[in-house]
Amino acid sequence: MSRRRALVAAAVLATVGALGVHALLGFPATGVDDADITLVYARHLLEGEGLVFVRGGERVEGFTSPAWMLLSAAAWLTPAPELALRIVSTALCAGVLAAVLTLARLLGGASWLALGVTVAWLAGLPRFYAWGTATLMETPLWAVGIHALALVLGFAAAERLATSHAVRALGLLGAILVAVRPEALAIVPLAIGVAVWNAAPREGGLGAALRRYAPALAAFALAVAALTAWRLVYFGDPLPNTYYAKVSPDRLYNLREGTDYVLRFLRAQPVAAALGAMALIVFARGLALPRRPLPDEAQARRARAAFAVSALALAGLVLPLASGGDHFGSFRFLQPFVPLLVLPLVWLGTTSPAPEARLRARMGATGTLALLLVVTAPLVAASWWRFARGSGIEHEFAVAENGRRLGRLLNAYFPSELRPSVGAVVTGGLALGYDGPVRDLMGLNWRAMGHAPGDRKGERSHAAFHAPTFWTAPPELLTPKLARGRPRDGCDVAGAFERAVLRDIHRTPRFRERYTAGWFPVEGRRMIAFFLESWAREHPLPGLVLLEGAQGDCTRPPPPLGPRRSRAGG
């Protein structure tokens, strides 16, 4: 397959995949709520406010990817920023697929069987297309970076890219990826280490190979130092605030959670589990390759390329062990690496050309592909069918859209000079729609809360709430939401999830003394919330109803949340 054909095939696959997942998700008008958080920062940056979550508020890095935040800022310059980001995301996904098809040709030679297997695998990845094109998060940008590293490593190992060019490419990619995802701190040194390992036989040893690739490592280290220095000067922290708010300081806990995350992925995706096992075999063989030269030098070069690709694929499966995974469905952290998993199979299936030659002689290339389609078509269909039954992320788009609507309704109800500070658990869509101050009770966009003491155990990415920090700046309106009926008491206003992640603060005497439940009419419905009582008494508003006495309290213990992880399995 020529480069042009690979690009065309990748563009078709990415477009069809994007349209497919958007159709199954109901063509969402927004991304997920975390994408709205990035859009909030991007909008404020363009407005001259700087990187703040609240206009006039503190500087805080509540977004994970500075590079994606800048792309989001560019999207705000267009009439439809969400559409612009979807187009960019789809183009980036096409770049990922083109890289995989190019590597499949490198590892499988001119084998139509190898290319057919690769195309079939890429066609059956609805979760990759969902995270890559629909959520509007940085996943496709990170995936492009990973696959660009794979291309450089593969072509350098196959000696189709000069070492000097590989060094420059790795240095440039490393410097860029530092600003895309924090995991680059692990992935880029690994990639450079793989390049050194593969180059050792022809450079005269590991020491000589390391010296050749030292400029790439230096460029990466310089980029890390520059980004860290900027963060310390601008935000006061060396890492994004999302790290402090989400990742538990208990490393063993993170390891257990991360292991569970990866195992759930492997159980949910048995084909990916089998491909991961093949990647492990290829990686193990590659470690022994410098000490066990192959008689065929061309085969040795392909083996080194397969080793490099397998190393990156396996790294993707290992990374969540350190962070503990996340709460999103369809395994967001693993999706950027999933397309790579087919490449070790491509190499293993074409290491000996004789069987394929005999098969071609009997059936021809057309017959081989027809047989391949018969075998793989049910697997591809089953993958899309499972996604259609439940992707695990459908509700994330509803959450974002509901947050935006909530913000617009608050704007309509409260006069501009009386807009209260709003405390919420989910804040991206709310902050995008509401013109008043929003306090992120989960700490992602509230520096003091993100850095507050705590073990970060419990609901994944929702375990940073710290009551003493909350009381340093109690919001005037707490966890507003639309309700169908009239609330009976404060426990009807506080949902089970909110009561759990806010550590049941609603039942404490201090909260019951200072807050009261209430509601006000909006668009023929009731918006319920907890009001800071002193503020509500000072600012009477039309239609506002406060639940007096015991009705305004919440004394019942929260009901169990149930196994939310089943949704994360997607």
Side-chain angles (χ1 to χ4, degrees):
M1 180 182 286
S2 65
R3 290 182 182 177
R4 179 176 296 180
R5 289 180 178 177
L7 288 174
V8 171
V12 170
L13 279 171
T15 302
V16 172
L19 290 174
V21 296
H22 277 79
L24 292 175
L25 293 170
F27 291 100
T30 70
V32 299
D33 194 76
D34 281 27
D36 280 354
I37 289 176
T38 302
L39 284 171
V40 169
Y41 283 97
R43 183 178 64 183
H44 290 166
L45 179 64
L46 289 179
E47 292 173 349
E49 294 283 343
L51 296 175
V52 297
F53 188 63
V54 176
R55 291 183 179 93
E58 64 174 347
R59 295 175 177 178
V60 56
E61 193 175 1
F63 51 91
T64 306
S65 173
W68 189 251
M69 186 276 300
L70 292 175
L71 280 176
S72 298
W76 272 115
L77 300 175
T78 70
E82 290 87 357
L83 178 60
L85 287 176
R86 281 192 167 85
I87 293 172
V88 170
S89 296
T90 304
L92 290 171
C93 283
V96 170
L97 304 186
V100 174
L101 291 171
T102 302
L103 286 167
R105 179 174 175 81
L106 176 71
L107 298 176
S111 168
W112 283 98
L113 181 60
L115 290 173
V117 168
T118 305
V119 170
W121 171 250
L122 298 177
L125 300 178
R127 286 166 175 79
F128 168 75
Y129 296 116
W131 276 108
T133 66
T135 62
L136 305 188
M137 293 187 68
E138 74 281 352
T139 304
L141 186 61
W142 177 234
V144 161
I146 297 300
H147 287 73
L149 286 176
L151 276 176
V152 172
L153 294 179
F155 275 77
E159 298 183 19
R160 296 192 182 183
L161 182 68
T163 300
S164 58
H165 292 163
V167 170
R168 285 195 289 270
L170 287 176
L172 178 61
L173 283 171
I176 294 173
L177 288 178
V178 166
V180 176
R181 287 286 307 179
E183 292 90 339
L185 296 174
I187 287 293
V188 174
L190 170 70
I192 296 174
V194 168
V196 169
W197 183 265
N198 278 336
R202 65 176 182 271
E203 295 290 342
L206 284 174
L210 182 58
R211 286 191 293 273
R212 287 298 303 272
Y213 279 90
L217 196 59
F220 166 72
L222 184 62
V224 171
L227 183 61
T228 303
W230 172 73
R231 280 177 168 147
L232 287 171
V233 171
Y234 195 85
F235 299 111
D237 298 309
L239 293 171
N241 198 59
T242 51
Y243 171 83
Y244 302 103
K246 289 184 176 183
V247 180
S248 172
D250 187 337
R251 305 304 180 192
L252 185 59
Y253 172 79
N254 292 332
L255 179 61
R256 288 197 304 267
E257 291 288 298
T259 301
D260 178 69
Y261 183 81
V262 174
L263 290 178
R264 283 187 288 118
F265 167 74
L266 297 177
R267 287 194 298 267
Q269 306 287 331
V271 176
L275 294 177
M278 293 181 187
L280 186 59
I281 293 172
V282 174
F283 178 75
R285 290 179 63 174
L287 287 177
L289 187 61
R291 297 187 297 276
R292 184 176 55 83
L294 297 176
D296 184 351
E297 181 55 32
Q299 186 177 350
R301 288 195 293 268
R302 287 176 55 226
R304 286 193 288 267
F307 163 74
V309 171
S310 297
L312 282 181
L314 291 173
L317 295 177
V318 172
L319 279 175
L321 302 184
S323 64
D326 70 359
H327 68 288
F328 287 114
S330 289
F331 305 102
R332 171 174 69 114
F333 282 169
L334 300 176
Q335 294 308 322
F337 299 86
V338 165
L340 287 174
L341 287 173
V342 73
L343 295 173
L345 171 64
V346 166
W347 180 73
L348 285 172
T350 56
T351 50
S352 175
E356 183 185 343
R358 289 195 298 268
L359 184 61
R360 278 192 187 179
R362 290 195 303 268
M363 302 179 60
T366 303
T368 302
L369 287 175
L371 178 62
L372 175 70
L373 289 175
V374 170
V375 173
T376 60
L379 295 176
V380 174
S383 178
W384 282 91
W385 178 73
R386 287 194 300 270
F387 182 85
R389 286 188 62 195
S391 67
I393 58 173
E394 311 95 331
H395 65 288
E396 301 290 350
F397 300 95
V399 167
E401 179 59 35
N402 182 65
R404 293 186 182 196
R405 183 187 178 197
L406 204 62
R408 292 191 293 268
L409 291 174
L410 290 173
N411 285 340
Y413 180 76
F414 290 102
S416 58
E417 68 277 5
L418 289 180
R419 283 182 184 141
S421 58
V422 178
V425 171
V426 181
T427 57
L430 175 63
L432 204 58
Y434 182 52
D435 291 333
V438 175
R439 298 220 175 101
D440 187 343
L441 303 180
M442 297 296 95
L444 300 178
N445 305 287
W446 183 359
R447 187 175 181 275
M449 187 67 79
H451 286 258
D455 57 15
R456 305 295 186 266
K457 296 178 182 178
E459 286 296 310
R460 190 67 201 157
S461 304
H462 296 83
F465 181 75
H466 184 243
T469 302
F470 172 85
W471 289 116
T472 63
E476 289 137 356
L477 190 68
L478 187 66
T479 58
K481 63 180 74 66
L482 290 173
R484 293 197 178 114
R486 179 169 180 165
R488 296 166 299 173
D489 56 29
C491 287
D492 288 342
V493 177
F497 180 68
E498 292 162 346
R499 292 166 69 186
V501 299
L502 297 181
R503 304 186 188 276
D504 214 13
I505 193 175
H506 307 83
R507 299 175 67 201
T508 63
R510 188 175 186 182
F511 186 91
R512 293 164 61 188
E513 178 184 340
R514 299 193 62 183
Y515 280 90
T516 186
W519 59 271
F520 51 87
V522 287
E523 293 189 355
R525 297 176 63 182
R526 292 182 176 90
M527 185 175 292
I528 58 178
F530 284 96
F531 292 82
L532 192 64
E533 193 163 353
S534 58
W535 183 89
R537 302 294 182 192
E538 292 174 9
H539 304 92
L541 291 163
L544 175 61
V545 176
L546 298 178
L547 301 181
E548 302 289 344
Q551 281 190 322
D553 295 336
C554 180
T555 57
R556 297 192 302 271
L561 288 177
R564 296 186 74 241
R565 282 183 174 176
S566 63
R567 294 208 305 262

